[in-house]
Amino acid sequence: MQWFKNLNATARLMASSGVMMVLILSVSYIAVSNLSKANDRVESLYQMHMKGAIRADDITIDILNAARFALHAVVHEAEPATVASDEKQGMDNLTQLGANLDEADKLFVTAKGKQELAAIRAAVPGFEQTEASVFEALRNKDLAAARERIEALGLIRKTILEAGDAARQTKQDVAQQQFEENAQAYQTARTLMIGAAVVSLVLAIVLSLVIARSFSVPLGQAVITPQQVAAGD
């Protein structure tokens, strides 16, 4: 610290201010950087993972509704208007299913997620064909064939629902992992900021003492010297 003592008062104050400014800027940079990372993780958590889980739920709902309308039509096979209405609503659900799958393709980016969506897509054409055959059998007044198709439809539905549940679980697992990483990043940032603040405080105290001493010692000597001269020393 001899070099610091050799500086004049203005230089000492400027040097101390510079050190404190660097510390403040460093703490600010750490805080902003970590908060930015946390914000990016939170945004990704919602935009990719939570929306992906919701989309997987929408897919299972579409399949359940489409199958429900086919079953309802079989139960009310003696009512042509009801059968026609059920067929239309079932087709609407399958159209919505396709839209939800297209949207899910943008949200499922991992290899596992893509594999689960591929399993759903592979089963959907069979589901659509089987559902169409149910209504065709009903139009032909072949109730036995319609019931047989309903059983086949149930098996395909089960396959799609299992894949949809797996896709949702994948998104939930990734979201949980990212949430934990975000919490860890927050704790790390918090620790760094507290540590930097403590170091800044300690350094400020040390610099204050050094500066005070650099002024008090010369002043003390300035007072003592005239007294010694007056005493004839």
Side-chain angles (χ1 to χ4, degrees), residues 63-89:
I63 284 294
L64 287 171
N65 283 336
R68 178 173 63 85
F69 285 121
L71 180 60
H72 186 266
V74 171
V75 172
H76 296 83
E77 51 87 20
E79 303 171 17
T82 300
V83 172
S85 176
D86 288 337
E87 183 174 14
K88 181 181 182 304
Q89 292 184 76

Side-chain angles (χ1 to χ4, degrees), residues 66-113:
R68 178 173 63 85
F69 285 121
L71 180 60
H72 186 266
V74 171
V75 172
H76 296 83
E77 51 87 20
E79 303 171 17
T82 300
V83 172
S85 176
D86 288 337
E87 183 174 14
K88 181 181 182 304
Q89 292 184 76
M91 291 177 63
D92 290 343
N93 276 276
L94 291 175
T95 300
Q96 185 61 44
L97 170 64
N100 283 326
L101 281 171
D102 290 340
E103 187 65 26
D105 284 335
K106 304 173 186 177
L107 302 173
F108 286 77
V109 295
T110 65
K112 186 177 180 183

Side-chain angles (χ1 to χ4, degrees), residues 115-131:
Q115 181 179 358
E116 288 156 353
L117 283 184
I120 295 174
R121 284 194 178 277
V124 166
F127 185 93
E128 292 174 335
Q129 293 171 7
T130 305
E131 175 144 328

Side-chain angles (χ1 to χ4, degrees), residues 13-31 192-193 196-197 199-201 203-204 207:
L13 289 173
M14 291 181 64
S16 302
S17 299
V19 171
M20 293 304 300
M21 183 65 68
V22 170
L23 285 174
I24 292 172
L25 290 175
S26 298
V27 172
S28 299
Y29 173 78
I30 293 172
L192 287 173
M193 291 173 66
V199 171
S200 299
L201 178 61
L203 188 56
L207 288 174

Side-chain angles (χ1 to χ4, degrees), residues 35-61:
L35 288 175
S36 177
K37 291 178 181 178
N39 181 68
D40 290 342
R41 288 193 179 95
V42 170
E43 184 176 356
S44 175
L45 184 66
Y46 174 71
Q47 293 294 336
M48 294 297 293
H49 306 309
M50 296 307 296
K51 280 189 174 181
I54 292 172
R55 199 60 65 192
D57 282 338
D58 290 341
I59 289 171
T60 59
I61 291 172

Side-chain angles (χ1 to χ4, degrees), residues 116 119-120 122-123 153-165:
E116 288 156 353
I120 295 174
L153 192 69
L155 295 176
I156 302 174
R157 181 193 63 180
K158 181 181 179 182
T159 299
I160 296 175
L161 291 180
E162 288 175 350
D165 289 342

